Amino acid sequence: MSIDKTSTAAEESSVENTDAAPAAVAAVDPRLLVREQGFAGYLGEFKRKMKAGDLGSIPVVVGLLVIWAIFTSLNSNFLTAGNFSDMSVAMVGTGMIAVGIVFVLLLGEIDLSVGSVSGVAGATFAVLSVTHGMNEILALVLAILTGTAAGAIHGFVFARIGVPAFAVTLAGLLFWQGFMLQILGDNGTINLDSDGVVVKLTSYYFSDVAAAYGLAIVVTAGYFLSAFFDNRRREAVGVPSRPLNEIIVRTVLLAVLAFAVAIVFNQYKGLPLAVVIFLGFLLLTDFVLRRTAYGRKIFALGGSVEASRRAGINVELVRISVFAIAGTFAAIGGLFVASKIASANQGAGTGEFLMNVIAAAVIGGTSLFGGRGRTWDALLGVMVIISIQYGLALEGIASPVQYMITGGVLLATVVIDAVTRKTQKTAGRA
């Protein structure tokens, strides 16, 4: 009799535990809890990310604001409309090449040849269009394809033959620099047509004030619509999404920034064509990395090559394509550099140029260890470097000091990156 009672009690307890089990394992996405708590929730989430080393772009943005504040206090001309516009145009060449470097760094690799490849692209265009009289558009396309081919060759030797990327691209740096000198000839400099397509890349401005304001409206509206419909898709499949009021706040902040920049541009010559093209490439590459299967494969390779291979990713093809992309952006950046000085010469892509390009990607927030970064990092990083260069130039400070300061900023960024990774591992987020 006692056995029956014990058995019955056990069965009842089992039924109760079975009913309670689903409730016990039910999980709530932490992002939903954060948003339900309002401002306090976001503040708590921010503190948690800081403790976990998830700094994002905050150090770069803060550093950039500090740099601007220092140079503005030293020279009131630093953030004038004219100087700001000149800095914006000057950063495009370096920034374009840095976008390609971001792709390579996401794999955890490096490309030391992009400076020389950029010089080859400028020289190729100059020789074809000026020396041989080829149509400028065709010469432009062939110059860009030269960079694509150079990058693909580096990627093939690295991915298929197994030579380390450092060694391959170091050899490429020397080879393409020699190739550039060879095609430029004894003169060493070829001046470009001041009214030609390439020179107009950096010399043309949309003088109508409607252009800058129109671009600000398009960027703001595009962001809002993208975020809104992305949330709709997330809600449809039951994935956590941002509330509408958060999207509106973000859109307002973006609008303030976009219209502030538009006002500054309109106080000088207008909206620079170079900036429009650069923003277009940033949007395109950001979409590729964040919204396509190809972009996810790049991040996966940066995280673990072996795991990616076991997941069925064609490691060799992705690697070759990434280096081809880096070569392509090196060529595009080289054309912007040639446009800025209206010539192709033997000094293109040499000296500190390569270091500035790599530094721009790293300073912007792309990890040297692979698997973490965005193409927008190229924009932030090159803004820091160009701001330092222009600010020191206004103060009449010599180039050696500029190199030392830029090197110090780069070292600080790498240290932050290393400490961040260590903190994330400790917090279990890496």
Side-chain angles (χ1 to χ4, degrees), residues 300-315:
L301 274 179
S304 173
V305 175
E306 186 58 32
S308 301
R309 184 177 284 110
R310 293 183 179 183
I313 295 176
N314 190 331
V315 174

Side-chain angles (χ1 to χ4, degrees), residues 61-227:
V61 175
V62 172
L64 183 62
L65 293 176
V66 170
I67 290 170
W68 284 359
I70 292 174
F71 285 126
T72 301
S73 65
L74 294 175
N75 193 319
S76 59
N77 292 322
F78 178 71
L79 279 184
T80 58
N83 198 55
F84 181 82
S85 182
D86 289 343
M87 287 194 298
S88 299
V89 174
M91 74 181 184
V92 174
T94 303
M96 282 287 191
I97 306 176
V99 170
I101 288 293
V102 168
F103 276 79
V104 176
L105 289 178
L106 287 174
L107 294 181
E109 303 296 341
I110 192 68
D111 189 341
L112 300 177
S113 69
V114 289
S116 296
V117 172
S118 69
V120 167
T124 300
F125 174 82
V127 169
L128 293 177
S129 64
V130 178
T131 306
H132 297 289
M134 181 181 288
N135 176 272
E136 285 197 332
I137 299 298
L138 179 58
L140 177 72
V141 173
L142 291 176
I144 294 175
L145 291 178
T146 300
T148 305
I153 292 172
H154 300 154
F156 179 84
V157 176
F158 164 57
R160 295 298 296 272
I161 301 178
V163 180
F166 177 88
V168 174
T169 56
L170 179 60
L173 180 154
L174 298 173
F175 177 86
W176 296 115
Q177 186 172 348
F179 183 74
M180 175 186 68
L181 298 177
Q182 181 67 31
I183 64 176
L184 283 175
D186 296 333
N187 186 29
T189 300
I190 300 177
N191 294 322
L192 302 178
D193 181 4
S194 59
D195 293 323
V197 173
V198 168
V199 174
K200 286 292 182 68
L201 290 175
T202 56
S203 65
Y204 185 81
Y205 292 77
F206 297 96
S207 57
D208 192 335
V209 295
Y213 293 133
L215 180 62
I217 293 173
V218 169
V219 169
T220 304
Y223 172 80
F224 175 80
L225 293 175
S226 174

Side-chain angles (χ1 to χ4, degrees), residues 79-82 209 213 260-270:
L79 279 184
T80 58
V209 295
Y213 293 133
V261 173
I263 291 172
V264 173
F265 281 147
N266 283 333
Q267 289 178 351
Y268 187 54
K269 295 180 180 179

